[in-house]
Amino acid sequence: MAQRHHDLTDSAAGAPVTGDALAGYLRARATEFLRALRLQREGGSHGGTDEAAEAARALRRSARRISGSLHTFRALLDADWSEEIRPELAWLSGTLALEHAYEARLERLLLALQRLSGATAVPGQGAGGGAPLHGTAALPDPAEASTAPRTARGTAHPPATARTAGGPAAASPTAGGAPVTSRAAGNGAVTSRAAGNTSAASRTAGAPVDSRATGTATASPGPVATAPAPGPLVERGNLTVGAAKAGALLDRQLTLARTRAHSTALQALGSSRFHAVADKVAVLASEVPLTPDAPGTDLVPLATAAEERLTDAVAALPLVTAGHPYNAEALVHGLSPDTAPHPQDAPWHQVRLLLRLHRYALEVLHDGDCPPDVRLIAAGEALDRHRDASEAAAAAAQAARTPRIAPATAYALGVLHADQRHEVEAARYAFQRAWQRPAVSTA
């Protein structure tokens, strides 16, 4: 399992990469930081939210690279100065990342609810819905139907109300994906109720409904015989009922958290602590506090040590278990009432951080122009998806612990939590496949 992504000695083809290269890399990243800071101030003063968001991302990007390089090559830097500025850069990067993280988490959870419930719209989202993932059954949205006119008494068949055992109306998708009612009554209307909002469902006149596709009895002249709804339809109906309220609950909680994170970021950017960090980075752009022996010291051994730490951390991961795309063992802890973070996630998060440090070390060796490695890119993307799914599952579990929520809402949040934990396992599977792939450089 100990596989090297790069031959680090190749970076020093003509001459060894010394501390001078590290100084040049740090000066370049400090210049990027100051440029992003100026753009952030200009965007904020002119009310440009897009420009300010892009500037915040650039600030985080340069701060992470400076902090990571100071950690990997700390033996070549002034110890007191390095230990003083590195935690401050980590604080700044983490503070600026919170708002975007909450926004992305809310979007991820609402899209997952939309996919799981088959709804065409979820609170906080537009009308355009995404296609269901492979292997996921799309559920109908009874709230999208229109009201059909009632027929006069004594003609054809009277309108009937189709309900499942618990109250919500049962509906099933047709071959084309459009929801149909669970009982056909000529051209009459069939009404249904979902998420506490009553809406009427109708179908085009003359369009027959196949009872074999819906799994219910077809109405005929005379007494109407109602067949009991199958079990899966009951579960889907309950999920559809609770999805709207679950989405609204998540929207309230995560929007509030995002608003607080935005206020915290604004306060941080105006604080004396941030100005002290900016002053130190400004000094770094012109003078890097290297040790006396650093200009002639080879950087490859330190970069190799960072790669070995990554390799050892990956070797400690349960990659054999991750080789199965759907591992139900990871759901056991998440379904318990324990509010602590998932114990299986921490080693994977650590590997993600070590992979990032390894990439930054390669950038230093290649003077900021490291040839892209397909395996490193794929592994990093898989670990990013793993972190996002893990945090989304935790947010769904936290929302499900809200006191006095309806059972249907708690049920929808439980299904959402399980779905995100399956996404966690899928990301681990993708990382395992990417890590064992032979190293391929696109250069």
Side-chain angles (χ1 to χ4, degrees), residues 263-283:
S263 301
T264 302
L266 291 179
Q267 293 175 0
L269 292 176
S271 64
S272 58
R273 182 179 182 182
F274 170 75
H275 289 295
V277 175
D279 292 341
K280 293 178 182 178
V281 174
V283 174

Side-chain angles (χ1 to χ4, degrees), residues 184 186-187 203-210:
N187 293 329
R203 59 184 175 83
T204 307
V209 179
D210 189 356

Side-chain angles (χ1 to χ4, degrees), residues 4 12 32 58 91 105 110 115 129 146 151 165 206 250 290 349 360 375 383 385 442:
R4 289 192 180 275
E32 290 180 358
W91 160 77
R105 194 173 307 156
L110 293 182
R115 168 173 50 83
S146 60
T151 58
L250 290 169
L290 297 174
H349 296 333
Y360 297 162
R375 180 169 60 174
L383 291 176
R385 294 196 303 270
T442 59

Side-chain angles (χ1 to χ4, degrees), residues 150-206:
R150 293 179 176 268
T151 58
R153 183 179 300 272
T155 63
H157 301 289
T161 300
R163 298 186 180 179
T164 60
S172 61
T174 61
V180 298
T181 57
S182 61
R183 187 171 62 191
N187 293 329
V190 180
T191 61
S192 62
R193 187 178 345 228
N197 298 324
T198 304
S199 60
S202 66
R203 59 184 175 83
T204 307

Side-chain angles (χ1 to χ4, degrees), residues 12-405:
V17 183
T18 63
D20 291 333
L22 173 62
Y25 179 83
L26 291 176
R27 282 194 294 266
R29 302 292 81 76
T31 303
E32 290 180 358
F33 181 94
L34 297 176
R35 186 183 301 113
L37 179 59
R38 184 179 67 253
L39 293 176
Q40 193 275 335
R41 289 173 177 173
E42 292 176 354
S45 61
H46 293 87
T49 56
D50 294 338
E51 292 80 0
E54 183 62 30
R57 283 192 289 268
L59 279 175
R60 299 201 316 265
R61 179 180 181 276
S62 56
R64 287 198 307 265
R65 279 162 170 76
I66 295 173
S67 178
S69 300
L70 294 181
H71 175 78
T72 302
F73 303 102
R74 59 187 178 275
L76 305 180
L77 298 161
D78 181 80
D80 295 336
W81 175 86
S82 177
E83 293 301 323
E84 183 180 357
I85 189 176
R86 191 162 53 86
E88 296 301 297
L89 290 171
W91 160 77
L92 176 62
S93 177
T95 302
L96 296 180
L98 280 178
E99 180 183 1
H100 173 72
Y102 284 123
E103 180 182 6
R105 194 173 307 156
L106 175 60
E107 180 180 4
R108 179 187 184 92
L109 289 171
L110 293 182
L111 288 177
L113 273 176
Q114 176 181 347
R115 168 173 50 83
L116 293 169
S117 65
T120 57
V122 184
Q125 299 292 322
L133 295 182
H134 176 69
T136 303
L139 303 183
D141 182 13
E144 293 297 323
S146 60
T147 304
R150 293 179 176 268
T151 58
R153 183 179 300 272
T155 63
H157 301 289
T161 300
R163 298 186 180 179
T164 60
S172 61
T174 61
V180 298
T181 57
S182 61
R183 187 171 62 191
N187 293 329
V190 180
T191 61
S192 62
R193 187 178 345 228
N197 298 324
T198 304
S199 60
S202 66
R203 59 184 175 83
T204 307
V209 179
D210 189 356
S211 61
R212 293 172 296 178
T214 62
T216 58
T218 304
S220 57
V224 179
T226 303
L233 290 182
V234 177
E235 296 179 0
R236 294 176 184 177
N238 289 338
L239 179 58
T240 304
V241 169
K245 292 184 177 181
L249 177 60
L250 290 169
D251 184 67
R252 288 195 303 271
Q253 292 183 349
L254 293 179
T255 299
L256 177 61
R258 178 192 173 190
T259 302
R260 291 175 176 172
H262 179 73
S263 301
T264 302
L266 291 179
Q267 293 175 0
L269 292 176
S271 64
S272 58
R273 182 179 182 182
F274 170 75
H275 289 295
V277 175
D279 292 341
K280 293 178 182 178
V281 174
V283 174
L284 180 63
S286 58
E287 181 182 357
V288 179
L290 297 174
T291 60
D293 299 334
T297 303
D298 190 5
L299 300 182
V300 172
L302 296 176
T304 303
E307 183 185 16
E308 291 175 351
R309 288 192 292 269
L310 169 64
T311 303
D312 294 341
V314 172
L317 293 177
L319 291 184
V320 176
T321 303
H324 303 283
Y326 295 103
N327 171 28
E329 294 180 4
L331 294 176
V332 175
H333 177 85
L335 297 177
S336 69
D338 188 6
T339 59
H342 200 290
Q344 291 187 10
D345 293 344
W348 294 86
H349 296 333
Q350 181 66 19
V351 167
R352 177 176 171 272
L353 296 178
L354 293 175
L355 178 60
R356 177 178 289 176
L357 292 177
H358 173 54
R359 286 174 38 229
Y360 297 162
L362 292 176
E363 290 182 3
V364 173
L365 295 182
H366 293 83
D367 194 19
D369 189 19
C370 179
D373 189 328
V374 176
R375 180 169 60 174
L376 279 181
I377 294 173
E381 291 176 350
L383 291 176
D384 287 343
R385 294 196 303 270
H386 175 275
R387 180 208 53 186
D388 294 342
S390 172
E391 294 177 348
Q398 182 64 30
R401 297 185 181 98
T402 303
R404 298 183 298 277
I405 60 175

